[in-house]
Amino acid sequence: MAVVNVMKAFHTRGDRAEVAGVGLKLLGDDEALLSEFAEFVGSRTLDELRRAAAQAAAATTKRKKGAASSSSSTAAKKTKPETVETTWRVEGDDVLGHFFARDGSLARVDAWTRRQGRKHYRGTLLLGAQRGNLVEVSDTVLNELGHSAKVEDHLRAIPDFETLAGADAPLVRGAAEKLALAAKIEAQPGWSAMFEAVVWAQDKPTEPKWPAIVLDPIALDDPKLRRRAIKFLGAKHLVRFLGFPQSSSLGFVAPASLSPYADHDPEIDKAAKLARKPRARFEDAVNEAKVLTRKPAQNRAPPPLGAKIGVTYLGDDRVYACTVVRDPDTGELSVRSPDFGPDEPDTIPFDPNEDDWRPLEDPPPTAPAELASSSQARERESAA
């Protein structure tokens, strides 16, 4: 009876099915006790009691398995290393678009990020079996490898690049053509000495000489024009005639038809005979040539305030008599002249290094040192 009382107390706190299972274990084979217990828990027969106990046991086993699985999953989550997602940027760095050679291939920098206080760059391989794969380098490694915006600067470091997969891509093929052109130019002694020179060029004997600049064909992006330059190499220079739109100003001129450009040249006087429209073009060309041939800025001491100077402005040969002043609003060094037109401001900013100017009032000449000393000696003798 004590066992029944214990089970009654457990039943008041537990589940009916669980109580049935516990009761069957404790009461054993005593039919009288089992019948009394079955009646107490609400089972009509012992078989119904046993079925409830079996269901409770199965539910308990399933619950334990689920708890064990959840526990192991939680433990796995705790031990799994955390991964930090990297944000790659495709703008905001001057190195983007540069090229570098590494491991026998060519890579282009496509993105960058900052990690642990340092910059890292991601590049796409363009040559070889790994073409299309991504590589990552730190800023230190990239600087050691060397990088630039010119593909041809790095192809030289890749042995037999012409045989690698991707060598037929327009980017690589164009750079290879530039390398071949550079080798041919080096084989022509003195040919490159004229590159970037401003000259007088005469395309045809019946046409006037015209300001032009000799171009370096290696710098050309147009492959057709590069191939023409190779064809005329050693016979004609590629020039750009100034004063025209660049798309319609290129031509090939023999060295004998080129001469050094000078501001004061008889060719400028001949332009007065040109018709109005070509004369305007010629004046534009001369002004552009003046800009291209302007000497680097010199560190000239500024004239003192109130000094009288003559200033010549680009495109205007007139010398303006000016007074050096300081702009009351900006505080910048400026000049004022009665020769400025009515549409001009009262003062114009003045830069002693950039502007073409000269003093109009020269200081009195200083006597040589030996003459000054003898003059002073005579003055002391007369005073004595």
Side-chain angles (χ1 to χ4, degrees), residues 363-380:
T366 303
E370 60 273 14
L371 294 181
S373 59
S374 60
S375 175
Q376 292 172 359
R378 286 195 298 272
E379 290 179 359
R380 285 196 297 269

Side-chain angles (χ1 to χ4, degrees), residues 11 37 60 127 167-168 196 201 204 219 264 275 291 316 341 367 369:
H11 175 65
F37 178 68
T60 301
L127 291 174
D168 57 344
E196 306 303 327
K204 298 177 181 178
H264 305 289
V291 173
D316 188 350

Side-chain angles (χ1 to χ4, degrees), residues 57-73:
T60 301
T61 302
K62 184 177 181 180
R63 187 167 58 251
K64 287 182 178 179
K65 288 182 177 180
S69 175
S70 176
S71 176
S72 61
S73 176

Side-chain angles (χ1 to χ4, degrees), residues 101 106 127 151-159 161 171-172 175-176 179:
L106 178 73
L127 291 174
V151 180
E152 58 270 20
D153 291 345
H154 309 283
L155 284 182
R156 296 187 181 94
I158 304 174
F161 71 87
L171 184 70
V172 180
L179 289 178

Side-chain angles (χ1 to χ4, degrees), residues 93-101 106-109 126 142 146-155 171-172 174-175 178 218-221:
D93 194 286
D94 294 338
V95 177
L96 293 174
H98 279 203
F99 300 89
F100 63 95
L106 178 73
R108 179 185 58 231
V109 179
L126 305 177
L142 186 62
H147 60 90
S148 72
K150 296 181 179 180
V151 180
E152 58 270 20
D153 291 345
H154 309 283
L155 284 182
L171 184 70
V172 180
K178 291 183 179 182
I218 298 177
L220 299 174
D221 293 326

Side-chain angles (χ1 to χ4, degrees), residues 81 87 99 157 174 202 212 215 228 230 234 236 248 253:
T87 301
F99 300 89
Q202 190 173 24
L215 301 181
R228 288 189 64 194
I230 294 176
K236 292 183 178 181
S248 60
V253 181

Side-chain angles (χ1 to χ4, degrees), residues 46 208 273 345:
L46 285 176
K273 300 178 182 179

